[in-house]
PDB file of all heavy atoms in Angstrom:
ATOM      1  N   LEU A 105     -14.694  24.089 -18.528  1.00 98.00           N
ATOM      2  CA  LEU A 105     -14.874  24.199 -19.978  1.00 98.00           C
ATOM      3  C   LEU A 105     -14.839  25.650 -20.453  1.00 98.00           C
ATOM      4  O   LEU A 105     -14.951  25.901 -21.656  1.00 98.00           O
ATOM      5  CB  LEU A 105     -16.212  23.570 -20.389  1.00 98.00           C
ATOM      6  CG  LEU A 105     -16.408  22.093 -20.030  1.00 98.00           C
ATOM      7  CD1 LEU A 105     -17.790  21.622 -20.494  1.00 98.00           C
ATOM      8  CD2 LEU A 105     -15.317  21.227 -20.639  1.00 98.00           C
ATOM      9  N   TYR A 106     -14.650  26.599 -19.547  1.00 97.00           N
ATOM     10  CA  TYR A 106     -14.727  28.015 -19.901  1.00 97.00           C
ATOM     11  C   TYR A 106     -13.778  28.427 -21.032  1.00 97.00           C
ATOM     12  O   TYR A 106     -14.141  29.294 -21.843  1.00 97.00           O
ATOM     13  CB  TYR A 106     -14.451  28.905 -18.694  1.00 97.00           C
ATOM     14  CG  TYR A 106     -15.408  28.778 -17.541  1.00 97.00           C
ATOM     15  CD1 TYR A 106     -15.145  29.442 -16.341  1.00 97.00           C
ATOM     16  CD2 TYR A 106     -16.570  28.010 -17.611  1.00 97.00           C
ATOM     17  CE1 TYR A 106     -15.998  29.346 -15.256  1.00 97.00           C
ATOM     18  CE2 TYR A 106     -17.424  27.910 -16.532  1.00 97.00           C
ATOM     19  CZ  TYR A 106     -17.134  28.570 -15.353  1.00 97.00           C
ATOM     20  OH  TYR A 106     -17.976  28.477 -14.277  1.00 97.00           O
ATOM     21  N   PRO A 107     -12.552  27.879 -21.111  1.00 98.00           N
ATOM     22  CA  PRO A 107     -11.650  28.349 -22.171  1.00 98.00           C
ATOM     23  C   PRO A 107     -12.189  28.161 -23.589  1.00 98.00           C
ATOM     24  O   PRO A 107     -11.792  28.891 -24.498  1.00 98.00           O
ATOM     25  CB  PRO A 107     -10.377  27.527 -21.957  1.00 98.00           C
ATOM     26  CG  PRO A 107     -10.381  27.239 -20.489  1.00 98.00           C
ATOM     27  CD  PRO A 107     -11.830  26.988 -20.180  1.00 98.00           C
ATOM     28  N   TYR A 108     -13.089  27.201 -23.784  1.00 98.00           N
ATOM     29  CA  TYR A 108     -13.599  26.966 -25.131  1.00 98.00           C
ATOM     30  C   TYR A 108     -14.522  28.089 -25.594  1.00 98.00           C
ATOM     31  O   TYR A 108     -14.627  28.348 -26.800  1.00 98.00           O
ATOM     32  CB  TYR A 108     -14.356  25.635 -25.197  1.00 98.00           C
ATOM     33  CG  TYR A 108     -13.512  24.432 -24.894  1.00 98.00           C
ATOM     34  CD1 TYR A 108     -13.929  23.491 -23.954  1.00 98.00           C
ATOM     35  CD2 TYR A 108     -12.294  24.219 -25.532  1.00 98.00           C
ATOM     36  CE1 TYR A 108     -13.159  22.377 -23.664  1.00 98.00           C
ATOM     37  CE2 TYR A 108     -11.515  23.106 -25.247  1.00 98.00           C
ATOM     38  CZ  TYR A 108     -11.946  22.190 -24.311  1.00 98.00           C
ATOM     39  OH  TYR A 108     -11.192  21.085 -24.022  1.00 98.00           O
ATOM     40  N   GLY A 109     -15.222  28.721 -24.656  1.00 97.00           N
ATOM     41  CA  GLY A 109     -16.192  29.736 -25.039  1.00 97.00           C
ATOM     42  C   GLY A 109     -17.384  29.112 -25.742  1.00 97.00           C
ATOM     43  O   GLY A 109     -17.551  27.887 -25.773  1.00 97.00           O
ATOM     44  N   PRO A 110     -18.254  29.931 -26.340  1.00 97.00           N
ATOM     45  CA  PRO A 110     -19.388  29.382 -27.086  1.00 97.00           C
ATOM     46  C   PRO A 110     -18.898  28.547 -28.266  1.00 97.00           C
ATOM     47  O   PRO A 110     -17.955  28.924 -28.965  1.00 97.00           O
ATOM     48  CB  PRO A 110     -20.127  30.641 -27.571  1.00 97.00           C
ATOM     49  CG  PRO A 110     -19.665  31.734 -26.657  1.00 97.00           C
ATOM     50  CD  PRO A 110     -18.251  31.403 -26.297  1.00 97.00           C
ATOM     51  N   THR A 111     -19.529  27.412 -28.487  1.00 97.00           N
ATOM     52  CA  THR A 111     -19.120  26.521 -29.585  1.00 97.00           C
ATOM     53  C   THR A 111     -20.174  26.402 -30.672  1.00 97.00           C
ATOM     54  O   THR A 111     -19.961  25.682 -31.648  1.00 97.00           O
ATOM     55  CB  THR A 111     -18.831  25.113 -29.046  1.00 97.00           C
ATOM     56  OG1 THR A 111     -20.060  24.547 -28.541  1.00 97.00           O
ATOM     57  CG2 THR A 111     -17.782  25.145 -27.938  1.00 97.00           C
ATOM     58  N   ALA A 124     -12.637  31.660 -25.813  1.00 97.00           N
ATOM     59  CA  ALA A 124     -13.412  32.275 -24.729  1.00 97.00           C
ATOM     60  C   ALA A 124     -13.719  33.728 -25.047  1.00 97.00           C
ATOM     61  O   ALA A 124     -12.864  34.457 -25.563  1.00 97.00           O
ATOM     62  CB  ALA A 124     -12.653  32.164 -23.421  1.00 97.00           C
ATOM     63  N   VAL A 125     -14.922  34.146 -24.707  1.00 94.00           N
ATOM     64  CA  VAL A 125     -15.328  35.541 -24.904  1.00 94.00           C
ATOM     65  C   VAL A 125     -15.593  36.239 -23.573  1.00 94.00           C
ATOM     66  O   VAL A 125     -15.739  37.460 -23.537  1.00 94.00           O
ATOM     67  CB  VAL A 125     -16.585  35.625 -25.796  1.00 94.00           C
ATOM     68  CG1 VAL A 125     -16.302  35.082 -27.187  1.00 94.00           C
ATOM     69  CG2 VAL A 125     -17.757  34.864 -25.170  1.00 94.00           C
ATOM     70  N   SER A 126     -15.657  35.477 -22.486  1.00 96.00           N
ATOM     71  CA  SER A 126     -15.938  36.052 -21.173  1.00 96.00           C
ATOM     72  C   SER A 126     -14.632  36.388 -20.456  1.00 96.00           C
ATOM     73  O   SER A 126     -13.573  35.845 -20.772  1.00 96.00           O
ATOM     74  CB  SER A 126     -16.743  35.062 -20.328  1.00 96.00           C
ATOM     75  OG  SER A 126     -15.955  33.902 -20.046  1.00 96.00           O
ATOM     76  N   GLY A 129     -13.583  33.263 -18.712  1.00 97.00           N
ATOM     77  CA  GLY A 129     -13.118  32.271 -19.674  1.00 97.00           C
ATOM     78  C   GLY A 129     -11.733  32.590 -20.194  1.00 97.00           C
ATOM     79  O   GLY A 129     -10.871  31.705 -20.311  1.00 97.00           O
ATOM     80  N   TYR A 265     -22.179  35.708 -13.208  1.00 91.00           N
ATOM     81  CA  TYR A 265     -22.370  34.525 -14.042  1.00 91.00           C
ATOM     82  C   TYR A 265     -22.927  34.866 -15.422  1.00 91.00           C
ATOM     83  O   TYR A 265     -22.837  34.053 -16.354  1.00 91.00           O
ATOM     84  CB  TYR A 265     -23.305  33.521 -13.364  1.00 91.00           C
ATOM     85  CG  TYR A 265     -23.351  32.214 -14.106  1.00 91.00           C
ATOM     86  CD1 TYR A 265     -22.263  31.343 -14.065  1.00 91.00           C
ATOM     87  CD2 TYR A 265     -24.451  31.867 -14.885  1.00 91.00           C
ATOM     88  CE1 TYR A 265     -22.273  30.160 -14.782  1.00 91.00           C
ATOM     89  CE2 TYR A 265     -24.465  30.681 -15.601  1.00 91.00           C
ATOM     90  CZ  TYR A 265     -23.375  29.830 -15.547  1.00 91.00           C
ATOM     91  OH  TYR A 265     -23.385  28.671 -16.268  1.00 91.00           O
ATOM     92  N   ALA A 266     -23.453  36.065 -15.583  1.00 94.00           N
ATOM     93  CA  ALA A 266     -24.147  36.418 -16.825  1.00 94.00           C
ATOM     94  C   ALA A 266     -23.298  36.150 -18.068  1.00 94.00           C
ATOM     95  O   ALA A 266     -23.806  35.693 -19.100  1.00 94.00           O
ATOM     96  CB  ALA A 266     -24.575  37.881 -16.784  1.00 94.00           C
ATOM     97  N   GLU A 267     -22.000  36.413 -17.995  1.00 95.00           N
ATOM     98  CA  GLU A 267     -21.148  36.243 -19.169  1.00 95.00           C
ATOM     99  C   GLU A 267     -20.958  34.778 -19.548  1.00 95.00           C
ATOM    100  O   GLU A 267     -20.485  34.472 -20.644  1.00 95.00           O
ATOM    101  CB  GLU A 267     -19.782  36.885 -18.919  1.00 95.00           C
ATOM    102  CG  GLU A 267     -18.987  36.221 -17.803  1.00 95.00           C
ATOM    103  CD  GLU A 267     -17.614  36.865 -17.614  1.00 95.00           C
ATOM    104  OE1 GLU A 267     -17.305  37.840 -18.331  1.00 95.00           O
ATOM    105  OE2 GLU A 267     -16.854  36.379 -16.749  1.00 95.00           O
ATOM    106  N   LEU A 268     -21.339  33.869 -18.658  1.00 95.00           N
ATOM    107  CA  LEU A 268     -21.216  32.437 -18.932  1.00 95.00           C
ATOM    108  C   LEU A 268     -22.571  31.777 -19.200  1.00 95.00           C
ATOM    109  O   LEU A 268     -22.637  30.562 -19.403  1.00 95.00           O
ATOM    110  CB  LEU A 268     -20.544  31.743 -17.736  1.00 95.00           C
ATOM    111  CG  LEU A 268     -19.122  32.205 -17.435  1.00 95.00           C
ATOM    112  CD1 LEU A 268     -18.690  31.719 -16.061  1.00 95.00           C
ATOM    113  CD2 LEU A 268     -18.148  31.736 -18.509  1.00 95.00           C
ATOM    114  N   PHE A 269     -23.618  32.574 -19.231  1.00 95.00           N
ATOM    115  CA  PHE A 269     -24.964  32.023 -19.374  1.00 95.00           C
ATOM    116  C   PHE A 269     -25.155  31.329 -20.721  1.00 95.00           C
ATOM    117  O   PHE A 269     -26.058  30.503 -20.875  1.00 95.00           O
ATOM    118  CB  PHE A 269     -26.013  33.118 -19.176  1.00 95.00           C
ATOM    119  CG  PHE A 269     -27.383  32.610 -18.824  1.00 95.00           C
ATOM    120  CD1 PHE A 269     -27.643  32.159 -17.544  1.00 95.00           C
ATOM    121  CD2 PHE A 269     -28.392  32.592 -19.765  1.00 95.00           C
ATOM    122  CE1 PHE A 269     -28.909  31.687 -17.207  1.00 95.00           C
ATOM    123  CE2 PHE A 269     -29.660  32.123 -19.442  1.00 95.00           C
ATOM    124  CZ  PHE A 269     -29.923  31.668 -18.156  1.00 95.00           C
ATOM    125  N   TYR A 270     -24.286  31.651 -21.686  1.00 96.00           N
ATOM    126  CA  TYR A 270     -24.377  30.988 -22.995  1.00 96.00           C
ATOM    127  C   TYR A 270     -24.330  29.468 -22.863  1.00 96.00           C
ATOM    128  O   TYR A 270     -24.827  28.739 -23.732  1.00 96.00           O
ATOM    129  CB  TYR A 270     -23.244  31.456 -23.916  1.00 96.00           C
ATOM    130  CG  TYR A 270     -21.862  31.005 -23.476  1.00 96.00           C
ATOM    131  CD1 TYR A 270     -21.375  29.743 -23.822  1.00 96.00           C
ATOM    132  CD2 TYR A 270     -21.040  31.827 -22.716  1.00 96.00           C
ATOM    133  CE1 TYR A 270     -20.121  29.316 -23.407  1.00 96.00           C
ATOM    134  CE2 TYR A 270     -19.782  31.414 -22.292  1.00 96.00           C
ATOM    135  CZ  TYR A 270     -19.326  30.158 -22.643  1.00 96.00           C
ATOM    136  OH  TYR A 270     -18.097  29.740 -22.226  1.00 96.00           O
ATOM    137  N   GLN A 271     -23.720  28.972 -21.780  1.00 96.00           N
ATOM    138  CA  GLN A 271     -23.610  27.529 -21.592  1.00 96.00           C
ATOM    139  C   GLN A 271     -24.967  26.847 -21.500  1.00 96.00           C
ATOM    140  O   GLN A 271     -25.064  25.631 -21.717  1.00 96.00           O
ATOM    141  CB  GLN A 271     -22.807  27.225 -20.328  1.00 96.00           C
ATOM    142  CG  GLN A 271     -21.353  27.667 -20.403  1.00 96.00           C
ATOM    143  CD  GLN A 271     -20.604  27.334 -19.127  1.00 96.00           C
ATOM    144  OE1 GLN A 271     -21.017  27.720 -18.036  1.00 96.00           O
ATOM    145  NE2 GLN A 271     -19.515  26.610 -19.260  1.00 96.00           N
ATOM    146  N   TYR A 272     -25.994  27.630 -21.175  1.00 96.00           N
ATOM    147  CA  TYR A 272     -27.341  27.069 -21.059  1.00 96.00           C
ATOM    148  C   TYR A 272     -28.260  27.526 -22.189  1.00 96.00           C
ATOM    149  O   TYR A 272     -29.457  27.256 -22.147  1.00 96.00           O
ATOM    150  CB  TYR A 272     -27.941  27.440 -19.700  1.00 96.00           C
ATOM    151  CG  TYR A 272     -27.204  26.775 -18.569  1.00 96.00           C
ATOM    152  CD1 TYR A 272     -26.150  27.420 -17.932  1.00 96.00           C
ATOM    153  CD2 TYR A 272     -27.524  25.481 -18.163  1.00 96.00           C
ATOM    154  CE1 TYR A 272     -25.449  26.799 -16.910  1.00 96.00           C
ATOM    155  CE2 TYR A 272     -26.831  24.855 -17.150  1.00 96.00           C
ATOM    156  CZ  TYR A 272     -25.785  25.516 -16.530  1.00 96.00           C
ATOM    157  OH  TYR A 272     -25.081  24.894 -15.527  1.00 96.00           O
ATOM    158  N   GLU A 273     -27.685  28.193 -23.163  1.00 96.00           N
ATOM    159  CA  GLU A 273     -28.496  28.664 -24.296  1.00 96.00           C
ATOM    160  C   GLU A 273     -28.176  27.907 -25.582  1.00 96.00           C
ATOM    161  O   GLU A 273     -28.866  28.079 -26.579  1.00 96.00           O
ATOM    162  CB  GLU A 273     -28.262  30.162 -24.505  1.00 96.00           C
ATOM    163  CG  GLU A 273     -28.738  30.995 -23.328  1.00 96.00           C
ATOM    164  CD  GLU A 273     -28.427  32.473 -23.477  1.00 96.00           C
ATOM    165  OE1 GLU A 273     -27.292  32.810 -23.890  1.00 96.00           O
ATOM    166  OE2 GLU A 273     -29.314  33.291 -23.191  1.00 96.00           O
ATOM    167  N   GLU A 274     -27.140  27.081 -25.568  1.00 97.00           N
ATOM    168  CA  GLU A 274     -26.761  26.261 -26.710  1.00 97.00           C
ATOM    169  C   GLU A 274     -26.386  24.878 -26.192  1.00 97.00           C
ATOM    170  O   GLU A 274     -26.156  24.705 -24.991  1.00 97.00           O
ATOM    171  CB  GLU A 274     -25.568  26.883 -27.443  1.00 97.00           C
ATOM    172  CG  GLU A 274     -24.289  26.926 -26.614  1.00 97.00           C
ATOM    173  CD  GLU A 274     -23.095  27.489 -27.394  1.00 97.00           C
ATOM    174  OE1 GLU A 274     -23.306  28.146 -28.431  1.00 97.00           O
ATOM    175  OE2 GLU A 274     -21.952  27.240 -26.964  1.00 97.00           O
ATOM    176  N   PRO A 275     -26.332  23.880 -27.055  1.00 97.00           N
ATOM    177  CA  PRO A 275     -25.868  22.573 -26.589  1.00 97.00           C
ATOM    178  C   PRO A 275     -24.486  22.698 -25.952  1.00 97.00           C
ATOM    179  O   PRO A 275     -23.599  23.361 -26.485  1.00 97.00           O
ATOM    180  CB  PRO A 275     -25.825  21.740 -27.881  1.00 97.00           C
ATOM    181  CG  PRO A 275     -26.843  22.375 -28.770  1.00 97.00           C
ATOM    182  CD  PRO A 275     -26.743  23.856 -28.473  1.00 97.00           C
ATOM    183  N   GLN A 276     -24.331  22.082 -24.797  1.00 97.00           N
ATOM    184  CA  GLN A 276     -23.070  22.106 -24.047  1.00 97.00           C
ATOM    185  C   GLN A 276     -22.657  20.648 -23.873  1.00 97.00           C
ATOM    186  O   GLN A 276     -23.005  19.985 -22.897  1.00 97.00           O
ATOM    187  CB  GLN A 276     -23.287  22.799 -22.702  1.00 97.00           C
ATOM    188  CG  GLN A 276     -22.043  22.960 -21.851  1.00 97.00           C
ATOM    189  CD  GLN A 276     -21.207  24.150 -22.257  1.00 97.00           C
ATOM    190  OE1 GLN A 276     -21.485  24.814 -23.240  1.00 97.00           O
ATOM    191  NE2 GLN A 276     -20.155  24.419 -21.503  1.00 97.00           N
TER     192      GLN A 276
END
Side-chain angles (χ1 to χ4, degrees):
L105 301 179
Y106 298 173
Y108 298 129
T111 65
V125 297
S126 66
Y265 189 72
E267 64 178 2
L268 298 166
F269 200 76
Y270 68 84
Q271 295 180 305
Y272 293 92
E273 296 176 316
E274 65 177 18
Q276 183 82 354

